[in-house]
Amino acid sequence: MSNKYVYLFKEGDASMKNLLGGKGANLAEMTNLGLPVPQGFIVSTEACTKYYEDGKVIADEVVNQIYDAMKKTEELTGKKFGDQENPFLVSVRSGARASMPGMMDTILNLGLNDIAVEGVAKKSGNPRFAYDSYRRFIQMFSDVVMCIDKEKFEHELQAMKDAKGAKLDTDLTAEDLKELVAKYKAIYKQEMGKEFPQDAKEQLLESVTAVFRSWDNPRAIVYRRMNDIPASWGTAVNVQAMVFGNMGDDCGTGVAFTRNPSTGEKKLYGEYLMNAQGEDVVAGIRTPQPISHLKDQMPEVYEQFANIAQSLEDHYRDMQDMEFTIEGGKLYMLQTRNGKRTAMAALKIAVDLVEEGKLTKEEAILKVEPKQLDSLLHPQFNAAALKASKPIAKGLPASPGAACGKLYFTADDATAAAAKGEKVVLARQETSPEDIEGMYASQGILTARGGMTSHAAVVARGMGTCCVAGCGELRIEECNKKMTTADGTVYKEGDFVSLDGSTGNVYGEAIETEEAQVSGDFATVMGWADSIRRLKVRTNADTPHDAEQAIEFGAEGIGLCRTEHMFFAEDRIAAMREMIVSKTVEQREKALAKLLPMQKDDFKGIYKAMKGHPVTIRFLDPPLHEFLPTHAEDIAALAKEMNMSVDALQGIIDGLHEFNPMLGHRGCRLAVTFPEIAVMQTRAVMEAAIETIEETGFDIVPEIMIPLVGDVKELKYVKDFVVETAEKVIAEKGKKIDYKVGTMIEVPRAAITADEIAQEADFLSFGTYDLTQMSFGFSRDDAGKFLDDYYAKKIYESDPFAKLDQDGVGKLVKMAVELGRKTRPDIKLGICGEHGGDPSTVEFCDSLGLNYVSCSPFRVPIARLAAAHAVVKSK
């Protein structure tokens, strides 16, 4: 018996999301709810997977099932595919199980040919509508299916409008459009070397293939990597009977949300266009009307739509994003899905749905994606600075937040500038899916065209990126890389601009920002998360300022304090260099004695900022050469300062050179060679702790972490110096305090001998960046040069330095956890480094039963929410 790959809408439901994709499952669910859904069928995600397994060919059994489903759908509609008298036209849309708005391809009006278009004209009594639909289909099919540059068609359309003195597409007559169809077909023949296909079945199969193919287009690959969507999921294809919003003045199309996706306000929100098709609204080709105007224009349709919208939100218990079409005064629902929303809206909607009794707190926190919080944690515009600035233009507040950066006009330029460390604002006439990487790299997105449901707006909200859309006051010339305001002021590439995504204001300058606050709905949701999660969340902080910031964001301690960052300061780098160039232990100790009070003050500041929360201090980790100059003039200056010859200093620098310093003389290896470094740092840690306890009364238990251990004997050798020094300080101060000595597991050998290492370690903290680097065998600093090739060729789906590789590195972590607990059941286990702020990694850590994760201050709320998600999902 053959597998079933194709399903009629009436054969599915919302629970079949993995098989039918999100869009298909929801179309099936709406059909079962009795809503006015144009009928159709779904080619499943399994058919997509099979397409790739079979060498990018649609199998005969899938083709036959598509034809069979088409026949049944024709019977339901009373129309016939490719027929002259009563032609059946369909849309072909992608629909992965995870919403990927704007990432894959759509074809409308499929089934039209030279014969069927006359049938549509005759049956509708509207030749203009028929040829408008045909020219749209030719362009979409040519662009999406055959990869012919759509600009070739846009050029002909604009030329026709100019020749006829038409401002809008709707101003063209049936004869104009008929002439345009002939021009479009000529473009197709010139590009493809053959006539535009007239066989409707050929059109359908080519289009289904194109949707499958679009699952692997560059923008979809980037989007999947950004959103942790596996390539193995594939996409479904939805084939649905066309209904026409471009048939006349009693027709229209729109996109609406049951709540405001920018603010979360409980109010029907959206846009529509009369006498238009769906892409007109999304692309911003014409300026749409707010959905509230439909109440005046077509009150019965509006009331029906409002009732359906509320019923869908009640049914799905979440804010819905819906597409609809009105044909001849009759409403049709084309799609519903849980709507993409800004972080601010997500928090408000989650809190409101709990207060309305629709969701439990556990269900509500799953409505807020942890990564979304990032947009709320970074600076907002300073109110006074904003008040003193005058906008140069105003657009639509499409995605809230503050953005300030240098102006760039192409996605490639924006991406390249961001890679150099620049803050970037991407300005476009309108964005398209091809711009995804540039949008992701930008602080903010500015478009001259498009509405609140345009591509730029939807994608920006999903990313949590500030966006001002539809700013028609600006003339954005992408080719000339400049932007002109209404008063003639020109802004060129590289000029600073600022965007306020909450008001739509655009400013022609850099505006001062200020830190974000965790309050209101944000604080409420974080309180729920804290009451649910098992994992503690610490921060990586090397200064009192960072520690204070982390405490404000809910950190419960410091999991990684990198002491080497403290040695680069201008007032201490000289003493550090003196220590490095010293030839005897006594000379080194003399230099280290200069660093001791500075290091102690650093630790006291951090202890005070953490108010008694645990602090894990990592001893010196990087190779010593990093502290020495590399340029000739700097070497000469240091030699003079050190009262030594340039040649002698150069000899020391050359001697410290390593072919692979990341695998060289660093971490605990430095302390093995130079124990006096560990002695000085231990004294600073312990003296700082005791003095802070005396000054504040805080309960402080210092945690000393020895890095890069690969063998228990290494750890014991360094630990003995640490313990001896700590006990000396305790005796000198006459103050007994507890302290812990542990290590980082970042060398694969340490992971597989964790049972031995646990004999000497009070805690194990996984340094997953180095563990990843050594497990994969490539440098995290250089891997970016070739990882894009790996993504494109599906060797890797994500950057292992951004998201923990659970299949490989994760197994080492799991092994170390089990071995460590076997030796010492009560051993404290954590993870430090930026992996600790990645939601999927946090969930993995929770599943292993780690005690805590540690991440940068601005990722602490993300980790707190992800830890709560892990608990809810595990039930």
Side-chain angles (χ1 to χ4, degrees), residues 68-181:
D68 183 56
M70 176 58 76
K71 187 175 180 182
K72 290 175 180 174
T73 308
E74 286 174 333
E75 291 169 1
L76 287 171
T77 61
K79 298 180 180 181
K80 190 167 177 58
F81 200 42
D83 187 54
Q84 182 176 1
E85 298 302 319
N86 194 13
F88 181 38
L89 306 184
V90 298
S91 64
V92 178
R93 288 185 171 93
S94 63
R97 70 168 84 169
S99 178
M100 296 174 63
M103 291 306 113
M104 291 181 291
D105 293 324
T106 295
I107 301 98
L108 303 180
N109 307 314
L110 191 144
L112 278 173
N113 55 28
D114 293 349
I115 295 173
V117 71
E118 290 295 335
V120 171
K122 184 178 178 182
K123 187 163 184 65
S124 66
N126 189 339
R128 190 207 171 279
F129 149 71
Y131 279 94
D132 183 46
S133 299
Y134 196 16
R135 66 97 183 169
R136 289 170 184 269
F137 171 55
I138 295 170
Q139 178 172 344
M140 281 187 128
F141 186 89
S142 300
D143 172 25
V144 171
V145 180
M146 296 302 175
C147 302
I148 301 172
D149 187 355
K150 64 183 178 185
E151 290 303 318
K152 294 180 185 295
F153 299 92
E154 290 291 340
H155 177 76
E156 288 294 345
L157 175 60
Q158 190 60 51
M160 174 70 74
K161 285 160 67 175
D162 291 344
K164 302 292 181 178
K167 185 178 179 182
L168 301 173
D169 302 357
T170 47
D171 296 333
L172 297 176
T173 66
E175 287 304 313
D176 295 336
L177 292 167
K178 196 169 187 178
E179 185 181 338
L180 199 59
V181 163

Side-chain angles (χ1 to χ4, degrees), residues 2-8 11 19 44 46 61 65 72:
S2 63
N3 293 326
K4 185 173 177 65
Y5 291 104
V6 182
Y7 297 77
L8 297 176
E11 295 177 313
L19 180 66
S44 71
E46 289 181 354
E61 61 180 319
Q65 288 184 33
K72 290 175 180 174

Side-chain angles (χ1 to χ4, degrees), residues 209-223:
T209 302
V211 173
F212 284 163
R213 195 170 62 229
S214 73
W215 175 248
D216 253 1
N217 68 32
R219 63 180 184 264
I221 290 171
V222 169
Y223 189 91

Side-chain angles (χ1 to χ4, degrees), residues 456-509:
V458 172
V459 174
R461 284 196 293 266
M463 291 178 175
T465 299
C466 168
C467 178
V468 173
C471 192
E473 299 172 22
L474 294 172
R475 189 166 79 251
I476 295 174
E477 299 175 61
E478 295 155 359
C479 294
N480 296 321
K481 297 187 178 182
K482 67 178 185 178
M483 177 177 84
T484 309
T485 64
D487 67 4
T489 305
V490 175
Y491 293 84
K492 297 179 179 178
E493 182 178 87
D495 288 344
F496 271 102
V497 294
S498 298
L499 308 180
D500 189 337
S502 302
T503 63
N505 285 337
V506 180
Y507 301 87
E509 59 188 308

